Structure formats: structure tokens, C-alpha cells
mmCIF file of all heavy atoms in Angstrom:
data_model
loop_
_atom_site.group_PDB
_atom_site.id
_atom_site.type_symbol
_atom_site.label_atom_id
_atom_site.label_comp_id
_atom_site.label_asym_id
_atom_site.label_seq_id
_atom_site.Cartn_x
_atom_site.Cartn_y
_atom_site.Cartn_z
ATOM 1 N N PHE E 299 -57.639 19.377 40.557
ATOM 2 C CA PHE E 299 -58.285 18.038 40.358
ATOM 3 C C PHE E 299 -59.814 18.189 40.570
ATOM 4 O O PHE E 299 -60.174 18.741 41.500
ATOM 5 C CB PHE E 299 -57.759 16.993 41.323
ATOM 6 C CG PHE E 299 -56.252 16.590 40.963
ATOM 7 C CD1 PHE E 299 -55.289 17.321 41.589
ATOM 8 C CD2 PHE E 299 -55.917 15.509 40.154
ATOM 9 C CE1 PHE E 299 -53.971 16.952 41.327
ATOM 10 C CE2 PHE E 299 -54.625 15.167 39.935
ATOM 11 C CZ PHE E 299 -53.561 15.893 40.447
ATOM 12 N N PRO E 300 -60.573 17.552 39.645
ATOM 13 C CA PRO E 300 -62.007 17.763 39.760
ATOM 14 C C PRO E 300 -62.599 16.918 41.045
ATOM 15 O O PRO E 300 -61.903 16.022 41.411
ATOM 16 C CB PRO E 300 -62.529 17.168 38.448
ATOM 17 C CG PRO E 300 -61.450 16.335 37.884
ATOM 18 C CD PRO E 300 -60.207 16.993 38.342
ATOM 19 N N ARG E 301 -63.763 17.340 41.464
ATOM 20 C CA ARG E 301 -64.233 16.646 42.602
ATOM 21 C C ARG E 301 -64.457 15.077 42.502
ATOM 22 O O ARG E 301 -64.240 14.419 43.460
ATOM 23 C CB ARG E 301 -65.733 17.255 42.851
ATOM 24 C CG ARG E 301 -66.426 16.745 44.123
ATOM 25 C CD ARG E 301 -65.727 17.403 45.351
ATOM 26 N NE ARG E 301 -65.137 16.357 46.229
ATOM 27 C CZ ARG E 301 -64.426 16.720 47.345
ATOM 28 N NH1 ARG E 301 -64.179 17.923 47.533
ATOM 29 N NH2 ARG E 301 -63.786 15.719 48.037
ATOM 30 N N GLN E 302 -64.675 14.758 41.202
ATOM 31 C CA GLN E 302 -64.821 13.298 40.948
ATOM 32 C C GLN E 302 -63.691 12.508 41.184
ATOM 33 O O GLN E 302 -63.691 11.422 41.792
ATOM 34 C CB GLN E 302 -65.338 13.048 39.474
ATOM 35 C CG GLN E 302 -65.650 11.552 39.112
ATOM 36 C CD GLN E 302 -65.839 11.501 37.676
ATOM 37 O OE1 GLN E 302 -65.810 12.496 36.829
ATOM 38 N NE2 GLN E 302 -66.056 10.339 37.157
ATOM 39 N N VAL E 303 -62.436 13.051 40.858
ATOM 40 C CA VAL E 303 -61.166 12.443 41.068
ATOM 41 C C VAL E 303 -60.947 12.306 42.458
ATOM 42 O O VAL E 303 -60.354 11.350 43.034
ATOM 43 C CB VAL E 303 -60.067 13.229 40.274
ATOM 44 C CG1 VAL E 303 -58.705 12.666 40.668
ATOM 45 C CG2 VAL E 303 -60.299 13.060 38.828
ATOM 46 N N VAL E 304 -61.188 13.528 43.238
ATOM 47 C CA VAL E 304 -60.890 13.546 44.677
ATOM 48 C C VAL E 304 -61.676 12.407 45.453
ATOM 49 O O VAL E 304 -61.200 11.756 46.253
ATOM 50 C CB VAL E 304 -61.193 14.998 45.184
ATOM 51 C CG1 VAL E 304 -61.110 14.884 46.793
ATOM 52 C CG2 VAL E 304 -60.417 16.001 44.719
ATOM 53 N N ASP E 305 -62.971 12.265 45.038
ATOM 54 C CA ASP E 305 -63.834 11.189 45.598
ATOM 55 C C ASP E 305 -63.335 9.809 45.329
ATOM 56 O O ASP E 305 -63.375 9.071 46.221
ATOM 57 C CB ASP E 305 -65.281 11.337 45.178
ATOM 58 C CG ASP E 305 -65.924 12.710 45.679
ATOM 59 O OD1 ASP E 305 -65.409 13.335 46.615
ATOM 60 O OD2 ASP E 305 -66.981 13.183 45.056
ATOM 61 N N LEU E 306 -62.856 9.610 44.081
ATOM 62 C CA LEU E 306 -62.399 8.383 43.773
ATOM 63 C C LEU E 306 -61.061 7.968 44.508
ATOM 64 O O LEU E 306 -60.950 6.855 44.954
ATOM 65 C CB LEU E 306 -62.019 8.289 42.295
ATOM 66 C CG LEU E 306 -61.702 6.999 41.694
ATOM 67 C CD1 LEU E 306 -62.653 5.797 41.759
ATOM 68 C CD2 LEU E 306 -61.380 7.054 40.103
ATOM 69 N N MET E 307 -60.242 9.007 44.678
ATOM 70 C CA MET E 307 -58.980 8.738 45.302
ATOM 71 C C MET E 307 -59.225 8.589 46.950
ATOM 72 O O MET E 307 -58.614 7.819 47.569
ATOM 73 C CB MET E 307 -58.161 9.999 45.305
ATOM 74 C CG MET E 307 -57.458 10.240 43.822
ATOM 75 S SD MET E 307 -56.742 8.733 43.133
ATOM 76 C CE MET E 307 -57.945 8.181 41.962
ATOM 77 N N THR E 308 -60.297 9.201 47.436
ATOM 78 C CA THR E 308 -60.656 8.844 48.788
ATOM 79 C C THR E 308 -61.184 7.390 48.986
ATOM 80 O O THR E 308 -60.784 6.638 50.042
ATOM 81 C CB THR E 308 -61.879 9.775 49.087
ATOM 82 O OG1 THR E 308 -61.409 11.095 49.115
ATOM 83 C CG2 THR E 308 -62.344 9.479 50.638
ATOM 84 N N THR E 309 -61.787 6.849 47.978
ATOM 85 C CA THR E 309 -62.209 5.482 47.960
ATOM 86 C C THR E 309 -61.018 4.536 47.910
ATOM 87 O O THR E 309 -60.893 3.609 48.606
ATOM 88 C CB THR E 309 -63.138 5.096 46.804
ATOM 89 O OG1 THR E 309 -64.389 6.075 46.848
ATOM 90 C CG2 THR E 309 -63.614 3.697 46.884
ATOM 91 N N PHE E 310 -60.068 4.903 47.047
ATOM 92 C CA PHE E 310 -58.865 4.117 46.963
ATOM 93 C C PHE E 310 -58.097 4.171 48.331
ATOM 94 O O PHE E 310 -57.433 3.319 48.611
ATOM 95 C CB PHE E 310 -58.016 4.562 45.772
ATOM 96 C CG PHE E 310 -58.313 4.044 44.468
ATOM 97 C CD1 PHE E 310 -58.481 4.855 43.308
ATOM 98 C CD2 PHE E 310 -58.690 2.767 44.212
ATOM 99 C CE1 PHE E 310 -58.833 4.452 42.133
ATOM 100 C CE2 PHE E 310 -59.062 2.242 42.990
ATOM 101 C CZ PHE E 310 -59.147 3.033 41.961
ATOM 102 N N ALA E 311 -58.150 5.441 48.886
ATOM 103 C CA ALA E 311 -57.449 5.542 50.202
ATOM 104 C C ALA E 311 -58.062 4.609 51.228
ATOM 105 O O ALA E 311 -57.350 4.040 52.063
ATOM 106 C CB ALA E 311 -57.462 6.912 50.629
ATOM 107 N N SER E 312 -59.410 4.423 51.196
ATOM 108 C CA SER E 312 -60.023 3.619 52.108
ATOM 109 C C SER E 312 -59.581 2.179 51.863
ATOM 110 O O SER E 312 -59.281 1.417 52.868
ATOM 111 C CB SER E 312 -61.493 3.695 52.005
ATOM 112 O OG SER E 312 -61.984 5.025 52.384
ATOM 113 N N GLN E 313 -59.425 1.751 50.614
ATOM 114 C CA GLN E 313 -59.055 0.387 50.464
ATOM 115 C C GLN E 313 -57.587 0.139 50.789
ATOM 116 O O GLN E 313 -57.147 -0.886 51.346
ATOM 117 C CB GLN E 313 -59.183 0.158 48.893
ATOM 118 C CG GLN E 313 -60.634 0.202 48.277
ATOM 119 C CD GLN E 313 -61.286 -1.130 48.555
ATOM 120 O OE1 GLN E 313 -61.179 -1.715 49.612
ATOM 121 N NE2 GLN E 313 -62.126 -1.447 47.650
ATOM 122 N N SER E 314 -56.804 1.192 50.595
ATOM 123 C CA SER E 314 -55.341 1.216 51.001
ATOM 124 C C SER E 314 -55.186 0.994 52.550
ATOM 125 O O SER E 314 -54.446 0.119 52.932
ATOM 126 C CB SER E 314 -54.585 2.331 50.567
ATOM 127 O OG SER E 314 -54.659 2.527 49.243
ATOM 128 N N ALA E 315 -55.981 1.768 53.260
ATOM 129 C CA ALA E 315 -56.082 1.767 54.654
ATOM 130 C C ALA E 315 -56.389 0.305 55.224
ATOM 131 O O ALA E 315 -55.840 -0.309 56.024
ATOM 132 C CB ALA E 315 -56.914 2.744 55.237
ATOM 133 N N LEU E 316 -57.547 -0.248 54.457
ATOM 134 C CA LEU E 316 -57.955 -1.502 54.902
ATOM 135 C C LEU E 316 -56.748 -2.569 54.717
ATOM 136 O O LEU E 316 -56.606 -3.439 55.617
ATOM 137 C CB LEU E 316 -59.150 -1.986 54.105
ATOM 138 C CG LEU E 316 -59.692 -3.377 54.270
ATOM 139 C CD1 LEU E 316 -60.140 -3.573 55.738
ATOM 140 C CD2 LEU E 316 -60.874 -3.610 53.346
ATOM 141 N N ALA E 317 -56.178 -2.498 53.525
ATOM 142 C CA ALA E 317 -55.012 -3.526 53.348
ATOM 143 C C ALA E 317 -53.858 -3.353 54.266
ATOM 144 O O ALA E 317 -53.352 -4.392 54.797
ATOM 145 C CB ALA E 317 -54.432 -3.275 51.917
ATOM 146 N N MET E 318 -53.574 -2.051 54.648
ATOM 147 C CA MET E 318 -52.530 -1.934 55.677
ATOM 148 C C MET E 318 -52.975 -2.344 57.095
ATOM 149 O O MET E 318 -52.079 -2.848 57.825
ATOM 150 C CB MET E 318 -52.177 -0.385 55.589
ATOM 151 C CG MET E 318 -51.401 -0.038 54.340
ATOM 152 S SD MET E 318 -51.139 1.855 54.190
ATOM 153 C CE MET E 318 -49.722 1.949 55.310
ATOM 154 N N GLN E 319 -54.095 -2.145 57.315
ATOM 155 C CA GLN E 319 -54.667 -2.563 58.632
ATOM 156 C C GLN E 319 -54.668 -4.031 58.739
ATOM 157 O O GLN E 319 -54.273 -4.739 59.749
ATOM 158 C CB GLN E 319 -56.047 -1.970 58.862
ATOM 159 C CG GLN E 319 -56.500 -2.407 60.390
ATOM 160 C CD GLN E 319 -58.012 -2.023 60.593
ATOM 161 O OE1 GLN E 319 -58.736 -2.415 59.720
ATOM 162 N NE2 GLN E 319 -58.363 -1.389 61.653
ATOM 163 N N ASN E 320 -55.047 -4.695 57.696
ATOM 164 C CA ASN E 320 -54.972 -6.157 57.594
ATOM 165 C C ASN E 320 -53.669 -6.754 57.766
ATOM 166 O O ASN E 320 -53.500 -7.739 58.519
ATOM 167 C CB ASN E 320 -55.731 -6.691 56.279
ATOM 168 C CG ASN E 320 -57.119 -6.527 56.237
ATOM 169 O OD1 ASN E 320 -57.807 -6.323 57.203
ATOM 170 N ND2 ASN E 320 -57.653 -6.663 54.941
ATOM 171 N N ALA E 321 -52.705 -6.180 57.153
ATOM 172 C CA ALA E 321 -51.374 -6.555 57.236
ATOM 173 C C ALA E 321 -50.819 -6.377 58.653
ATOM 174 O O ALA E 321 -50.183 -7.314 59.268
ATOM 175 C CB ALA E 321 -50.415 -5.788 56.354
ATOM 176 N N ARG E 322 -51.166 -5.271 59.303
ATOM 177 C CA ARG E 322 -50.712 -5.088 60.630
ATOM 178 C C ARG E 322 -51.281 -6.024 61.724
ATOM 179 O O ARG E 322 -50.633 -6.548 62.608
ATOM 180 C CB ARG E 322 -50.956 -3.601 61.102
ATOM 181 C CG ARG E 322 -50.254 -2.595 60.443
ATOM 182 C CD ARG E 322 -50.634 -1.076 60.920
ATOM 183 N NE ARG E 322 -49.724 -0.144 60.262
ATOM 184 C CZ ARG E 322 -49.849 1.211 60.490
ATOM 185 N NH1 ARG E 322 -50.653 1.512 61.425
ATOM 186 N NH2 ARG E 322 -49.103 2.137 59.866
ATOM 187 N N LEU E 323 -52.624 -6.322 61.548
ATOM 188 C CA LEU E 323 -53.308 -7.151 62.376
ATOM 189 C C LEU E 323 -52.723 -8.603 62.225
ATOM 190 O O LEU E 323 -52.561 -9.376 63.230
ATOM 191 C CB LEU E 323 -54.833 -7.177 62.080
ATOM 192 C CG LEU E 323 -55.591 -5.927 62.414
ATOM 193 C CD1 LEU E 323 -57.066 -5.998 62.095
ATOM 194 C CD2 LEU E 323 -55.573 -5.649 64.108
ATOM 195 N N PHE E 324 -52.474 -9.056 60.949
ATOM 196 C CA PHE E 324 -51.943 -10.398 60.678
ATOM 197 C C PHE E 324 -50.630 -10.494 61.331
ATOM 198 O O PHE E 324 -50.326 -11.535 61.973
ATOM 199 C CB PHE E 324 -51.791 -10.566 59.193
ATOM 200 C CG PHE E 324 -51.330 -11.884 58.897
ATOM 201 C CD1 PHE E 324 -52.183 -13.116 59.086
ATOM 202 C CD2 PHE E 324 -50.086 -12.171 58.335
ATOM 203 C CE1 PHE E 324 -51.677 -14.368 58.778
ATOM 204 C CE2 PHE E 324 -49.679 -13.522 58.075
ATOM 205 C CZ PHE E 324 -50.403 -14.585 58.210
ATOM 206 N N HIS E 325 -49.761 -9.405 61.276
ATOM 207 C CA HIS E 325 -48.455 -9.495 61.882
ATOM 208 C C HIS E 325 -48.516 -9.552 63.359
ATOM 209 O O HIS E 325 -47.942 -10.486 64.180
ATOM 210 C CB HIS E 325 -47.735 -8.297 61.575
ATOM 211 C CG HIS E 325 -46.328 -8.116 62.163
ATOM 212 N ND1 HIS E 325 -45.324 -8.935 61.891
ATOM 213 C CD2 HIS E 325 -45.665 -7.316 63.098
ATOM 214 C CE1 HIS E 325 -44.179 -8.700 62.569
ATOM 215 N NE2 HIS E 325 -44.503 -7.607 63.313
ATOM 216 N N GLN E 326 -49.553 -8.774 63.990
ATOM 217 C CA GLN E 326 -49.778 -9.048 65.390
ATOM 218 C C GLN E 326 -50.241 -10.355 65.786
ATOM 219 O O GLN E 326 -49.893 -10.931 66.895
ATOM 220 C CB GLN E 326 -50.897 -7.909 65.799
ATOM 221 C CG GLN E 326 -50.242 -6.415 65.728
ATOM 222 C CD GLN E 326 -51.328 -5.379 66.011
ATOM 223 O OE1 GLN E 326 -52.492 -5.796 66.210
ATOM 224 N NE2 GLN E 326 -50.995 -4.196 65.861
ATOM 225 N N LEU E 327 -51.204 -10.924 64.943
ATOM 226 C CA LEU E 327 -51.556 -12.301 65.235
ATOM 227 C C LEU E 327 -50.442 -13.297 65.193
ATOM 228 O O LEU E 327 -50.481 -14.273 65.999
ATOM 229 C CB LEU E 327 -52.688 -12.670 64.247
ATOM 230 C CG LEU E 327 -54.126 -12.017 64.474
ATOM 231 C CD1 LEU E 327 -55.032 -12.362 63.408
ATOM 232 C CD2 LEU E 327 -54.739 -12.450 65.786
ATOM 233 N N GLU E 328 -49.562 -13.102 64.246
ATOM 234 C CA GLU E 328 -48.460 -14.003 64.029
ATOM 235 C C GLU E 328 -47.687 -14.042 65.372
ATOM 236 O O GLU E 328 -47.217 -15.143 65.927
ATOM 237 C CB GLU E 328 -47.703 -13.687 62.788
ATOM 238 C CG GLU E 328 -48.071 -14.224 61.602
ATOM 239 C CD GLU E 328 -47.069 -14.080 60.416
ATOM 240 O OE1 GLU E 328 -46.368 -12.901 60.402
ATOM 241 O OE2 GLU E 328 -46.796 -14.964 59.752
ATOM 242 N N ILE E 329 -47.468 -12.773 65.823
ATOM 243 C CA ILE E 329 -46.553 -12.691 67.105
ATOM 244 C C ILE E 329 -47.326 -13.266 68.259
ATOM 245 O O ILE E 329 -46.728 -14.023 69.038
ATOM 246 C CB ILE E 329 -46.270 -11.191 67.339
ATOM 247 C CG1 ILE E 329 -45.388 -10.542 66.306
ATOM 248 C CG2 ILE E 329 -45.664 -11.039 68.763
ATOM 249 C CD1 ILE E 329 -45.231 -9.156 66.340
ATOM 250 N N ALA E 330 -48.623 -12.989 68.410
ATOM 251 C CA ALA E 330 -49.461 -13.595 69.456
ATOM 252 C C ALA E 330 -49.426 -15.163 69.359
ATOM 253 O O ALA E 330 -49.296 -15.920 70.435
ATOM 254 C CB ALA E 330 -50.895 -13.063 69.414
ATOM 255 N N SER E 331 -49.488 -15.752 68.126
ATOM 256 C CA SER E 331 -49.702 -17.041 68.008
ATOM 257 C C SER E 331 -48.216 -17.746 68.473
ATOM 258 O O SER E 331 -48.245 -18.850 69.058
ATOM 259 C CB SER E 331 -49.830 -17.495 66.431
ATOM 260 O OG SER E 331 -49.944 -18.865 66.353
ATOM 261 N N LYS E 332 -47.101 -17.080 68.108
ATOM 262 C CA LYS E 332 -45.933 -17.620 68.423
ATOM 263 C C LYS E 332 -45.672 -17.585 69.988
ATOM 264 O O LYS E 332 -45.217 -18.559 70.552
ATOM 265 C CB LYS E 332 -44.764 -16.827 67.830
ATOM 266 C CG LYS E 332 -44.545 -17.019 66.432
ATOM 267 C CD LYS E 332 -43.344 -16.258 65.742
ATOM 268 C CE LYS E 332 -43.317 -16.470 64.289
ATOM 269 N NZ LYS E 332 -42.167 -15.583 63.656
ATOM 270 N N HIS E 333 -46.177 -16.478 70.639
ATOM 271 C CA HIS E 333 -46.082 -16.529 72.067
ATOM 272 C C HIS E 333 -46.962 -17.462 72.624
ATOM 273 O O HIS E 333 -46.623 -18.284 73.705
ATOM 274 C CB HIS E 333 -46.525 -15.161 72.577
ATOM 275 C CG HIS E 333 -45.506 -14.019 72.381
ATOM 276 N ND1 HIS E 333 -44.206 -14.259 72.519
ATOM 277 C CD2 HIS E 333 -45.668 -12.717 71.919
ATOM 278 C CE1 HIS E 333 -43.507 -13.025 72.258
ATOM 279 N NE2 HIS E 333 -44.406 -12.115 71.726
ATOM 280 N N LYS E 334 -48.150 -17.885 72.109
ATOM 281 C CA LYS E 334 -49.094 -18.719 72.658
ATOM 282 C C LYS E 334 -48.467 -20.142 72.617
ATOM 283 O O LYS E 334 -48.532 -20.921 73.475
ATOM 284 C CB LYS E 334 -50.362 -18.696 71.864
ATOM 285 C CG LYS E 334 -51.412 -19.669 72.419
ATOM 286 C CD LYS E 334 -52.372 -20.122 71.327
ATOM 287 C CE LYS E 334 -51.621 -21.004 70.287
ATOM 288 N NZ LYS E 334 -52.555 -21.576 69.122
ATOM 289 N N SER E 335 -47.809 -20.470 71.306
ATOM 290 C CA SER E 335 -47.284 -21.802 71.084
ATOM 291 C C SER E 335 -46.165 -22.013 72.071
ATOM 292 O O SER E 335 -45.883 -23.109 72.719
ATOM 293 C CB SER E 335 -46.876 -21.984 69.711
ATOM 294 O OG SER E 335 -47.923 -21.756 68.848
ATOM 295 N N GLN E 336 -45.291 -20.934 72.216
ATOM 296 C CA GLN E 336 -44.246 -21.029 73.176
ATOM 297 C C GLN E 336 -44.654 -21.285 74.685
ATOM 298 O O GLN E 336 -44.037 -22.125 75.324
ATOM 299 C CB GLN E 336 -43.348 -19.864 73.044
ATOM 300 C CG GLN E 336 -41.918 -19.950 73.760
ATOM 301 C CD GLN E 336 -41.093 -21.156 73.041
ATOM 302 O OE1 GLN E 336 -40.929 -21.240 71.984
ATOM 303 N NE2 GLN E 336 -40.675 -22.070 73.940
ATOM 304 N N PHE E 337 -45.754 -20.552 74.957
ATOM 305 C CA PHE E 337 -46.302 -20.706 76.403
ATOM 306 C C PHE E 337 -46.759 -22.091 76.536
ATOM 307 O O PHE E 337 -46.410 -22.688 77.609
ATOM 308 C CB PHE E 337 -47.369 -19.729 76.525
ATOM 309 C CG PHE E 337 -48.093 -19.911 77.793
ATOM 310 C CD1 PHE E 337 -47.618 -19.360 79.112
ATOM 311 C CD2 PHE E 337 -49.390 -20.421 77.745
ATOM 312 C CE1 PHE E 337 -48.205 -19.646 80.229
ATOM 313 C CE2 PHE E 337 -50.104 -20.662 78.960
ATOM 314 C CZ PHE E 337 -49.577 -20.235 80.224
ATOM 315 N N LEU E 338 -47.558 -22.708 75.595
ATOM 316 C CA LEU E 338 -48.093 -23.984 75.791
ATOM 317 C C LEU E 338 -47.004 -24.929 75.825
ATOM 318 O O LEU E 338 -46.990 -25.893 76.559
ATOM 319 C CB LEU E 338 -48.981 -24.317 74.520
ATOM 320 C CG LEU E 338 -50.303 -23.590 74.647
ATOM 321 C CD1 LEU E 338 -51.062 -23.954 73.227
ATOM 322 C CD2 LEU E 338 -51.203 -24.030 75.792
ATOM 323 N N ALA E 339 -45.883 -24.797 75.009
ATOM 324 C CA ALA E 339 -44.769 -25.810 74.990
ATOM 325 C C ALA E 339 -44.055 -25.733 76.390
ATOM 326 O O ALA E 339 -43.810 -26.877 76.914
ATOM 327 C CB ALA E 339 -43.757 -25.435 73.893
ATOM 328 N N ASN E 340 -43.811 -24.463 76.880
ATOM 329 C CA ASN E 340 -43.163 -24.410 78.081
ATOM 330 C C ASN E 340 -44.003 -24.938 79.283
ATOM 331 O O ASN E 340 -43.509 -25.691 80.093
ATOM 332 C CB ASN E 340 -42.880 -22.964 78.543
ATOM 333 C CG ASN E 340 -41.808 -22.463 77.608
ATOM 334 O OD1 ASN E 340 -40.978 -23.175 76.894
ATOM 335 N ND2 ASN E 340 -41.750 -21.014 77.445
ATOM 336 N N MET E 341 -45.316 -24.551 79.264
ATOM 337 C CA MET E 341 -46.151 -25.074 80.394
ATOM 338 C C MET E 341 -46.348 -26.660 80.248
ATOM 339 O O MET E 341 -46.380 -27.253 81.347
ATOM 340 C CB MET E 341 -47.592 -24.468 80.299
ATOM 341 C CG MET E 341 -47.593 -22.922 80.713
ATOM 342 S SD MET E 341 -46.997 -22.856 82.437
ATOM 343 C CE MET E 341 -48.339 -23.749 83.339
ATOM 344 N N SER E 342 -46.474 -27.145 79.014
ATOM 345 C CA SER E 342 -46.545 -28.601 78.941
ATOM 346 C C SER E 342 -45.477 -29.281 79.501
ATOM 347 O O SER E 342 -45.545 -30.351 80.147
ATOM 348 C CB SER E 342 -46.916 -28.956 77.485
ATOM 349 O OG SER E 342 -48.028 -28.313 77.065
ATOM 350 N N HIS E 343 -44.251 -28.771 79.168
ATOM 351 C CA HIS E 343 -43.009 -29.409 79.766
ATOM 352 C C HIS E 343 -42.929 -29.283 81.100
ATOM 353 O O HIS E 343 -42.637 -30.259 81.919
ATOM 354 C CB HIS E 343 -41.865 -28.726 79.053
ATOM 355 C CG HIS E 343 -40.484 -29.248 79.481
ATOM 356 N ND1 HIS E 343 -40.010 -30.454 79.156
ATOM 357 C CD2 HIS E 343 -39.606 -28.648 80.400
ATOM 358 C CE1 HIS E 343 -38.831 -30.730 79.796
ATOM 359 N NE2 HIS E 343 -38.560 -29.759 80.554
#
């Protein structure tokens, strides 16, 4: 594969990594939000 293709795929790989990291962070935030809401509900009660 020519260098140009390798460089382009490296750029696409960076975009893929960003998308996967965003998905993982969002999943972690969802879990944290659920724990926070449950904690507030329990403490309020």
C-alpha cells in the first residue's frame, strides 16, 4: 500500500478511536448518572 493510503488510514483510525472513546465515556456517564440518581433518591428518602 502506498504511503498516502497508510497516512489516510491512520487518520481514519484516529476518527474511529475518537468515536469508540466517546461511546465508552457516554456509557460510563450513564452508569454514573444512574448511581447518582439512586443515591439522591435513597438519601432524600
Side-chain angles (χ1 to χ4, degrees):
F299 290 87
R301 185 73 245 172
Q302 180 186 4
V303 171
V304 176
D305 291 341
L306 183 60
M307 292 306 107
T308 301
T309 302
F310 279 135
S312 296
Q313 297 281 38
S314 303
L316 177 59
M318 292 171 75
Q319 184 189 47
N320 287 347
R322 290 182 182 183
L323 290 175
F324 182 73
H325 179 63
Q326 291 170 1
L327 285 173
E328 275 190 318
I329 294 173
S331 180
K332 286 180 180 178
H333 287 318
K334 180 208 71 176
S335 297
Q336 192 60 51
F337 170 77
L338 287 175
N340 291 341
M341 285 302 298
S342 299
H343 178 73

